[in-house]
Amino acid sequence: MLRDRQQDLPRDLQRFGTVTEQAQHLRDTACELELAPGEAMQWFVGSLEK
């Protein structure tokens, strides 16, 4: 999804040089990415402990 949106990235993602870096930044700092006005993708990070 990020590869297809390189011309329309949020400002905080534009500073990263690779799609991998962009994805890692999103994973580590956000929980939502606006796809279109009124349409967003959300995710939640969890951890499993033994």
Side-chain angles (χ1 to χ4, degrees):
M1 184 177 304
L2 289 171
R3 271 188 196 48
D4 296 339
R5 299 193 59 201
Q6 290 299 298
Q7 303 303 319
D8 186 33
L9 287 175
R11 187 175 302 202
D12 63 328
L13 293 180
Q14 293 175 6
R15 65 185 171 152
F16 297 101
T18 68
V19 172
T20 299
E21 291 173 324
Q22 294 165 356
Q24 289 171 340
H25 177 73
L26 283 173
R27 179 197 65 200
D28 295 343
T29 63
C31 61
E32 183 172 294
L33 176 64
E34 186 174 355
L35 303 174
E39 183 180 323
M41 175 186 287
Q42 296 180 332
W43 59 92
F44 302 92
V45 176
S47 63
L48 300 175
E49 296 183 25
K50 249 185 164 177

